[in-house]
Amino acid sequence: MATARSRARSNMALVKYWGKRDDRLVLPFTGSLSMTLDALTTETEVTFTGAPGSDELLLDGAPAQGGEVKRATELLNLVRAEKPGLGAAKVQSRNSFPTAGGLASSASGFAALAAAAAWAAGLDLPTEQLSILARRASGSACRSLFGGFVEWVRGERPDGTDSVARPVLPADAWDVAMAIAIVDTGRKKDSSRDAMKQSVLTSPYFDAWVKTTTADLEDARAAVLARDLERLGAIAERSFLKMHATAITSDPPAIFWKGPTLELIARVRELREAGTGAWATIDAGPHVAVLCRRADVGKVAQALRQISGVRDVVETRPGPGVERL
Ligand code: DP6
């Protein structure tokens, strides 16, 4: 029996990842850049039993669904390939936030799983290598291995060994924050995996997305290093709008926005016009994350709460990378 525990946090992309050039290895068409979110954590314990059998996965105390178990087992198989004899794994994972609330837990979940599994196996891998393991389960998870502002480098090699996450700026180096407005949906989130695949295959705008994202990424990295929030915020807004434009123009279309989503986008613009620096970004769902100065986050959250259809607003600052518990 070999056990290890980890804690990892979710992340929010400011320059989005949308589209794979290799589905099996999870290699993106473009690089992306995110902020690791202090408030959204997953703690995971992995035990390799040494005996053959199927893996067991408990999420917040309940047995996980088929798709999640399959992705976890595929990740665990990569670890088992490095160290024969580990056997079936028992995995227990807990989120600090309700997954049913609509916030993505796959990034923190697979980052925590990759690290705990490698550590339980006794593999002494650099964090960049852990990011490759997490990437194989879910692309955005690779960025959660590091804290603060993180770039997922696209890489060039067909085997994906250079498609890794790298830290850009540590969590405590910049006093920014995010307020995330959770929009009531009443139904399960559409799969970002399927929607992005459809965008690659059918959106007439996908080429333009790839062409312009490389420049957005360079610009965003420079803005983070210069701690220029206004510049970063403007890039983040154009990145999510372009990503959603490819989704909306896919066949069949993927429209993630609800009524309150548009109200929130308008409210963020009003805040800005009234002098409060606030910039929106949206993943493959209806929720709106708003980047702002740390001193403004209470005020921004308050403004978002006033929109009808907003169930909750989570305030968070940049958080650290994966931790061994
Ligand atoms: C919109 O990482 O969930 O959140 O690699 O297929 O697991 P898979 O996709 P996933 O997609 C994230 C898409 C996004 C943008 C981002 O996080 O960069």
Side-chain angles (χ1 to χ4, degrees):
M1 298 278 257
T3 298
R5 294 178 64 217
S6 67
R7 180 189 296 127
R9 288 163 171 82
S10 196
N11 70 76
M12 180 60 66
L14 298 166
V15 175
K16 301 294 186 194
Y17 144 57
W18 194 249
K20 297 175 185 65
R21 64 181 202 275
D22 183 316
D23 289 327
R24 190 180 67 85
L25 294 174
V26 190
L27 299 178
F29 271 101
T30 64
S32 53
L33 186 141
S34 62
M35 185 177 116
T36 301
L37 306 174
D38 195 41
L40 304 181
T41 67
T42 301
E43 290 186 8
T44 297
E45 181 177 287
V46 173
T47 302
F48 286 108
T49 59
S54 21
D55 299 318
E56 282 171 30
L57 176 56
L58 289 180
L59 293 183
D60 291 323
Q65 304 302 309
E68 286 159 326
V69 179
K70 184 166 176 280
R71 279 208 215 185
T73 289
E74 282 167 6
L75 196 166
L76 292 162
N77 285 343
L78 296 173
V79 174
R80 282 187 280 250
E82 298 295 314
K83 265 267 177 91
L86 289 168
K90 288 190 196 302
V91 179
Q92 292 198 50
S93 199
R94 281 195 184 275
N95 292 315
S96 67
F97 51 98
T99 38
L103 280 177
S105 60
S106 65
S108 52
F110 287 120
L113 179 63
W119 293 333
L123 297 175
D124 186 20
L125 299 177
T127 312
E128 243 183 43
Q129 293 299 315
L130 292 178
S131 84
I132 292 184
L133 261 185
R135 186 201 81 217
R136 292 287 299 268
S138 183
S140 56
C142 80
R143 298 183 307 238
S144 277
L145 272 304
F146 291 102
F149 290 83
V150 183
E151 179 175 343
W152 173 9
V153 180
R154 175 197 189 276
E156 297 303 325
R157 293 186 207 136
D159 66 0
T161 48
D162 58 352
S163 189
V164 297
R166 295 217 171 112
V168 176
L169 191 73
D172 55 7
W174 198 8
D175 55 354
V176 296
M178 220 172 239
I180 308 172
I182 312 297
V183 171
D184 254 323
T185 52
R187 69 182 199 94
K188 209 181 162 300
K189 181 177 165 291
D190 290 321
S191 147
S192 45
R193 178 158 292 190
D194 296 344
M196 77 170 76
K197 173 133 188 140
Q198 221 43 38
S199 294
V200 174
L201 295 176
T202 65
S203 172
Y205 300 154
F206 192 77
D207 284 349
W209 158 255
V210 172
K211 276 199 189 105
T212 59
T213 294
T214 308
D216 285 347
L217 183 62
E218 300 280 310
D219 209 4
R221 192 191 309 117
V224 168
L225 290 172
R227 295 173 181 72
D228 185 340
L229 191 59
E230 207 151 316
R231 186 165 155 205
L232 181 63
I235 301 159
E237 289 212 338
R238 66 173 186 256
S239 180
F240 96 76
L241 287 164
K242 284 188 281 190
M243 174 207 125
H244 283 268
T246 73
I248 290 167
T249 53
S250 299
D251 182 14
I255 305 174
F256 294 104
W257 301 356
K258 303 285 169 198
T261 312
L262 287 167
E263 300 286 333
L264 285 160
I265 294 173
R267 178 56 60 93
V268 169
R269 182 170 293 191
E270 281 164 19
L271 277 167
R272 225 159 45 220
E273 280 163 4
T276 302
W279 294 270
T281 183
I282 305 177
D283 276 348
H287 317 301
V288 179
V290 182
L291 180 68
C292 61
R293 284 176 192 84
R294 195 168 299 168
D296 290 334
V297 70
K299 179 161 110 186
V300 169
Q302 188 54 36
L304 304 180
R305 271 191 200 99
Q306 285 163 4
I307 306 290
S308 125
V310 169
R311 188 182 356 167
D312 192 14
V313 179
V314 178
E315 296 176 34
T316 181
R317 50 178 66 189
V322 72
E323 300 164 292
R324 187 161 189 168
L325 301 177

